[in-house]
Amino acid sequence: MKLSTKGRYGVRALLDLALHQDEGLVPLKDIARRQEVSLPYLEHLITPLVAAGLVKSTRGARGGVSLVKPPSEIKLSEAVQLLEGSIAPVDCVNDPKLCHRSAYCVTRDIWSEMKNAMSQVLDSTTIQDLVERQRQKGQPETEMYHI
Amino acid sequence: MKLSTKGRYGVRALLDLALHQDEGLVPLKDIARRQEVSLPYLEHLITPLVAAGLVKSTRGARGGVSLVKPPSEIKLSEAVQLLEGSIAPVDCVNDPKLCHRSAYCVTRDIWSEMKNAMSQVLDSTTIQDLVERQRQKGQPETEMYHI
DNA sequence: TACTAAGTTGATTCTTTTTGTCAACATTAG
DNA sequence: CTAATGTTGACAAAAAGAATCAACTTAGTA
Ligand code: FES
Ligand code: FES
C-alpha cells in the first residue's frame, strides 16, 4: 500500500507551486531544486497535471508553470488520481469485471471500504490546506535551499 | 496504492480457513485449489502467519493448517500487517527519520491521516465479519470448485 | 535575426519489487 | 516403510518504478 514517488513528488510540486505563485511563472528548475527532485523526472510528473488542465505551462525564456485554479479548489484526490491513477487497493473495486470472483468476493467489499476511507481524506483536503499548514510550520519551503 | 497479491491472497486464505475449520485440519492444497492460488506460492503466504502464531501448521499425512484464535479475534489489520508490512503510504509516517524533510513536511501529515483512515477500517473488521458476509452472499466458497 | 531559456516528448536504461517456481528436506499417520 | 503433508531457501521471470537522455518546440530578448 505504498504511494509511488509520482504521487509524493507530484503533490509536493503542486504545493511548491502554490507557495510561489505570487512570484509569477515558476520554472520547473526552481521546483526541482527546492523539492529535491531531478528536473528530468519532474518534467514527467508535471505532464499529466498539464494535460488535465490543473497546471498551465508556458514555454520559452521566462517561461514556467502556474496553477490554473486557485489552490483552494484543487483537491488532493484530484491530484493523486492524475498522478497515481485510481487509489483503489485492487482494480476490481473500480471494475468488477476484472476479477471473475467479484460477485461473491467479500474481501472486495473491504478493499472498497478502504478506498472510501482514503478518498474521504483526500477529498476533504485541498492544496490551500497544505499551504496554510506549511505557513504555520514556519514556511521553510520558501526560506530554505537558498545557496 | 495497490495491495499486492500477498495481502489479497493471504486474507482470502484466512477466510477460507475460517470457513472450513469445522472440518479439522485444512491442507494447503485445498485452500490453493479453492482460492485459485498456486500451492508453492501459498506456502510462502502462510509462512508469516504461522510465524506470528496466527495459524498453526501440522506436518505429515492428514496434516494441514488451522487457526489458533477464533476468527472473531483476528483483525484484518493484524493479517494485512503481517502479509504486507505497514500500511503507511510512505515509510516516513512510521519513522520520521527516513525523510530528512519530515520535520516540516506537510504532505507527510496527509499521508499519516490516510494511514489512520485505512487502519480504522482494518481494525474494525475481523475474519469472523468476513465469514458472516460470505455466508450471506450464498457461501459459494464452500459450494463451488468441487469437481 | 540569432541566441538562450524554457517546456515537450519519446526512447532507453537501471533497479527494485512482485510473483512466482523448484528442489531438498522434515515430519507424521497409517 | 511410505505416502502425504508442511518448511526452507535458492532461483528466476516478469512487471513496475524511477529515473536519464536527447532531440525537439516555443518564446523572450539583445
Ligand atoms: S479481489 Fe477482486 S473480486 Fe475479490
Ligand atoms: S514524505 Fe517523508 S517527510 Fe515528506
Side-chain angles (χ1 to χ4, degrees):
Chain A
M1 290 301 290
K2 291 290 176 280
L3 219 50
S4 76
T5 55
K6 281 187 207 161
R8 293 190 281 128
Y9 295 174
V11 170
R12 263 167 48 195
L14 282 173
L15 169 59
D16 187 279
L17 189 45
L19 285 165
H20 293 85
Q21 57 172 352
D22 52 329
E23 303 165 15
L25 293 180
V26 182
L28 289 182
K29 188 171 35 168
D30 291 0
I31 299 179
R33 178 173 36 81
R34 284 189 295 255
Q35 297 299 324
E36 299 171 282
V37 178
S38 83
L39 176 58
Y41 194 42
L42 179 59
E43 287 164 353
H44 286 295
L45 301 182
I46 215 76
T47 301
L49 301 178
V50 172
L54 213 59
V55 169
K56 182 162 149 277
S57 66
T58 307
R59 297 199 205 196
R62 312 295 300 273
V65 293
S66 57
L67 292 177
V68 172
K69 299 191 287 188
S72 60
E73 288 177 21
I74 303 176
K75 292 193 280 194
L76 287 197
S77 53
E78 184 180 4
V80 172
Q81 162 78 38
L82 291 171
L83 292 159
E84 298 257 339
S86 171
I87 205 181
V90 298
D91 288 330
C92 62
V93 166
N94 296 316
D95 181 1
K97 286 193 286 289
L98 294 179
C99 273
H100 73 104
R101 309 172 70 92
S102 53
Y104 47 87
C105 176
V106 296
T107 60
R108 178 170 170 275
D109 297 348
I110 300 298
W111 309 143
S112 183
E113 283 180 29
M114 278 186 65
K115 176 188 169 178
N116 291 340
M118 290 187 276
S119 295
Q120 168 65 30
V121 172
L122 297 183
D123 272 340
S124 59
T125 309
T126 68
I127 297 292
Q128 179 65 31
D129 294 332
L130 295 185
V131 167
E132 284 161 16
R133 288 194 196 211
Q134 187 70 75
R135 297 224 158 105
Q136 278 178 7
K137 286 207 182 193
Q139 39 189 337
E141 301 288 339
T142 63
E143 293 172 359
M144 294 184 62
Y145 307 114
H146 298 171
I147 298 175
Chain B
M1 289 301 292
K2 291 289 175 279
L3 220 48
S4 77
T5 54
K6 280 188 209 163
R8 292 191 280 129
Y9 295 173
V11 170
R12 265 169 44 197
L14 282 173
L15 169 58
D16 187 279
L17 189 44
L19 286 165
H20 293 86
Q21 56 171 357
D22 52 330
E23 304 164 16
L25 292 180
V26 181
L28 289 183
K29 190 172 32 169
D30 292 359
I31 300 179
R33 178 171 39 77
R34 283 188 296 255
Q35 297 299 322
E36 300 171 281
V37 178
S38 84
L39 176 59
Y41 194 41
L42 180 60
E43 286 163 354
H44 284 297
L45 300 182
I46 215 77
T47 301
L49 302 177
V50 172
L54 213 58
V55 169
K56 183 161 146 278
S57 65
T58 308
R59 296 198 206 195
R62 312 295 299 274
V65 293
S66 58
L67 293 177
V68 172
K69 298 191 287 188
S72 59
E73 289 176 22
I74 303 175
K75 292 193 278 193
L76 288 197
S77 54
E78 185 180 1
V80 172
Q81 161 79 38
L82 290 171
L83 291 159
E84 298 256 342
S86 171
I87 206 183
V90 298
D91 288 331
C92 61
V93 166
N94 297 315
D95 181 1
K97 284 193 286 290
L98 294 179
C99 272
H100 73 103
R101 309 172 69 94
S102 53
Y104 47 87
C105 176
V106 296
T107 60
R108 178 171 170 273
D109 296 350
I110 300 299
W111 311 142
S112 184
E113 284 180 28
M114 280 187 63
K115 176 189 169 177
N116 291 340
M118 290 186 275
S119 295
Q120 168 65 31
V121 172
L122 297 182
D123 272 341
S124 60
T125 310
T126 69
I127 297 292
Q128 179 65 29
D129 295 330
L130 294 185
V131 167
E132 285 161 16
R133 289 194 196 211
Q134 186 71 74
R135 298 223 158 106
Q136 277 179 9
K137 286 208 184 192
Q139 40 191 336
E141 301 288 339
T142 63
E143 293 173 357
M144 294 184 63
Y145 307 115
H146 298 171
I147 300 178

